Amino acid sequence: AGGNVTSVTLAWDVPMTGVPAGYRVYQGVSSRNYTNGVDVGNTLTAVVAVAQGATNYYAARAYDVYGQVSDYSNEVAVQGKKKGPPHK
């Protein structure tokens, strides 16, 4: 399975206002249409895996201790490695 996925580290900056309690990273298969969200805690990076030949879209949101959530961050598209020609 290791050769069939691309691992990428996503990173983001602390918002200009407020003190985040943590972050959620959102993933989807089309731009700005996220189907999965994962709480990554109070860290500024997350490692994601993208299947071979697939393109996934990611964005992060900060949240505070009161449950208030920021707007989505800028979105990044990640494309998994494409399968190369068979070896001869």
Side-chain angles (χ1 to χ4, degrees):
N4 294 331
V5 298
T6 300
S7 292
V8 175
T9 301
L10 305 176
W12 51 91
D13 296 324
V14 175
M16 298 287 285
T17 59
V19 178
Y23 302 89
R24 288 183 64 84
V25 173
Y26 293 85
Q27 177 266 328
V29 294
S30 61
S31 182
R32 294 291 177 191
N33 187 18
Y34 308 116
T35 55
N36 297 312
V38 176
D39 191 324
V40 296
N42 196 10
T43 181
L44 297 176
T45 63
V47 177
V48 297
V50 181
Q52 180 177 290
T55 300
N56 288 344
Y57 298 84
Y58 296 93
R61 294 177 90 176
Y63 61 85
D64 66 17
V65 294
Y66 304 106
Q68 296 175 326
V69 180
S70 72
D71 291 336
Y72 286 103
S73 67
N74 292 335
E75 181 178 78
V76 63
V78 178
Q79 186 172 22
K81 294 179 199 171
K82 293 185 178 174
K83 186 175 182 178
H87 296 285
K88 295 186 178 185

